[in-house]
Amino acid sequence: MRALTPPSAARARPGDARGTAWLHRASDDVRAPLWVLLLPVLLLAVDLVFDFGWPVTTAAGFLLTVLPVVSAFGYGPLAVAGSTVVAVGLQILLAARAGHLSEQHHVWIYIATTLAGIMGTALSWQRLRRSRDLVRVRSIADTLQYTVLRPVPARVGSLRTVGRYLPAHADIGVGGDLYEVCDTRFGTRVLLGDVRGKGLDAVRTVADVLGAFRVTAHETADLSELADQLDRQVLRDAAEGDDDELFVTAVLLQHRPDGLFVELVNRGHLSPLLLTPAGVRPVRCPECLPLGLGHLGVEPSAPVVVELPPGHTLLLHTDGVSEARDAHGEFYPLTERLTGLGSTDPAVVVDFLDRDVRRHAGSLGDDLAVLALSPDVG
């Protein structure tokens, strides 16, 4: 899993030292693997073994014709041009050793190798150009992830927060799950949710909902009203995208400074889990429709108040965790596995889920996010 502090948090914003360091790491990612770099050396060695292992009248230098093209997959244009010179030079020396220097078919081999060198140099230049484009695209995607899914501090207000996030597609930094933690004048406010659907439309909804939450969380005193404003935002997105089935399941949470309680509003999302020294239990909230569908139901209920003293942890999660399937199609037994963990420390809980869910499911088929919250007693 990926930490809720996204990779971009470690790399920081583009332009700073850590962002530059990430670009170097991204450049390393697009470099050719070692076996590709060794192929030209192997080809050269095989050719020389053939030439000196067979009778002197046999010139095996024809194998070197493809050396520039093979080099192009792992090296730059100058190196490919150099390999072309080496290949033609060796072909001439080996042909001369066999007494075939000026024979017609050897002359055509020299020409063919030179042409292969020209094409290999062009291929190498194009490969490096595409690699640089890929680094830029990855940088843009990383910036997008930083902007949409901001890193969550280890402590917000009087809460410790630890989490993990992993999109369904590992090469895409933002998926259909969303989260945010804000320290406001009303206390610490948390949003965790899941957009119906995947792809770019889901990412756009994630960005819109998070943008609305980051503004209204600081301006709206009532948690239920905050949920209603997000509901209207999703409804507007549905109208703009002509998608009558768009909705977002979400849990909203508020923890007042120095308080022993949290307030919860659940809009069609999975029930949070409360981890206590005595065991694990779901936090039941009144059934409310997801964000974007609130106009179809009755007025939402008041927030549910849950005691959260020191030593207790509240776990918010998306269905990418609880619905992760193993090879036999069995769902991940989240409550059962957490009950057997024997710890309520949020870092221990999240690290355990990081390993255990992947061990259970192997490859994950859905975005997943978890966020563990516990009173800060430090």
Side-chain angles (χ1 to χ4, degrees):
M1 293 184 186
R2 178 177 297 173
L4 267 182
T5 302
S8 50
R11 304 163 191 154
R13 298 179 185 273
D16 66 13
R18 286 175 293 180
T20 302
W22 176 80
L23 286 177
H24 287 305
R25 288 195 294 271
S27 299
D28 291 339
D29 290 342
V30 298
R31 287 178 181 171
L34 180 60
W35 67 270
V36 173
L37 298 176
L38 292 177
L39 277 179
V41 179
L42 178 61
L43 178 62
L44 182 59
V46 169
D47 183 87
L48 293 177
V49 168
F50 280 176
D51 192 272
F52 287 95
W54 287 2
V56 71
T57 55
T58 302
F62 63 87
L63 292 178
L64 298 177
T65 303
V66 297
L67 180 63
V69 176
V70 173
S71 300
F73 287 97
Y75 295 91
L78 289 178
V80 174
S83 72
T84 304
V85 173
V86 170
V88 175
L90 281 175
Q91 286 173 337
I92 291 174
L93 290 176
L94 295 174
R97 175 175 174 268
H100 301 161
L101 178 62
S102 59
E103 289 188 4
Q104 185 176 8
H105 70 280
H106 279 279
V107 173
W108 282 112
I109 288 176
Y110 309 151
I111 296 173
T113 304
T114 302
L115 292 175
I118 295 172
M119 291 185 290
T121 301
L123 174 62
S124 176
W125 177 83
Q126 177 67 6
R127 180 183 60 83
L128 291 180
R129 179 172 172 270
R130 290 298 179 92
S131 296
R132 287 192 293 268
D133 290 343
L134 178 59
V135 170
R136 284 194 291 268
V137 169
R138 288 185 177 180
S139 178
I140 293 170
D142 197 69
T143 303
L144 173 64
Q145 182 180 358
Y146 185 97
T147 302
V148 176
L149 299 176
R150 296 175 181 174
V152 177
R155 285 173 172 79
V156 183
S158 55
L159 285 178
R160 291 177 59 198
T161 59
V162 183
R164 294 287 188 275
Y165 173 75
L166 183 68
H169 303 286
D171 57 340
I172 301 177
V174 181
D177 288 359
L178 56 94
Y179 59 82
E180 182 61 288
V181 180
C182 295
D183 189 13
T184 74
R185 58 195 173 105
F186 309 111
T188 301
R189 285 181 159 174
V190 178
L191 168 67
L192 184 138
D194 188 356
V195 177
R196 184 198 68 83
K198 296 181 176 66
L200 293 178
D201 289 339
V203 172
R204 185 186 68 176
T205 301
V206 166
D208 289 344
V209 172
L210 289 177
F213 176 76
R214 287 163 182 160
V215 173
T216 56
H218 292 273
E219 304 298 332
T220 307
D222 184 73
L223 195 62
S224 294
E225 174 58 25
L226 173 58
D228 287 342
Q229 293 191 42
L230 296 180
D231 178 86
R232 292 191 286 272
Q233 176 62 50
V234 177
L235 191 60
R236 286 192 292 271
D237 284 351
E240 292 174 1
D242 195 22
D243 184 358
D244 295 335
E245 298 181 354
L246 177 64
F247 63 85
V248 179
T249 65
V251 176
L252 290 95
L253 176 149
Q254 177 173 281
H255 182 262
R256 301 186 186 278
D258 302 323
L260 296 178
F261 299 87
V262 294
E263 301 169 58
L264 287 171
V265 170
N266 191 331
R267 297 298 298 265
H269 199 73
L270 300 169
S271 297
L273 296 178
L274 184 63
L275 284 70
T276 73
V280 180
R281 64 177 177 86
V283 178
R284 302 300 182 186
C285 298
E287 294 186 3
C288 297
L289 291 174
L291 302 177
L293 302 179
H295 62 289
L296 301 177
V298 298
E299 290 294 324
S301 304
V304 171
V305 178
V306 179
E307 185 178 6
L308 189 65
H312 290 50
T313 291
L314 190 67
L315 182 72
L316 311 180
H317 63 93
T318 59
D319 58 8
V321 178
S322 57
E323 296 184 4
R325 296 175 181 264
D326 62 13
H328 304 289
E330 298 293 331
F331 289 124
Y332 179 71
L334 178 58
T335 302
E336 176 185 334
R337 298 293 292 161
L338 290 177
T339 300
L341 178 59
S343 175
T344 62
D345 183 273
V348 173
V349 170
V350 171
D351 287 343
F352 170 76
L353 289 176
D354 186 335
R355 300 186 305 270
D356 204 48
V357 173
R358 287 187 293 172
R359 184 184 303 115
H360 176 84
S363 61
L364 301 174
D366 194 7
D367 304 329
L368 63 84
V370 295
L371 181 61
L373 312 167
S374 181
D376 182 8
V377 294

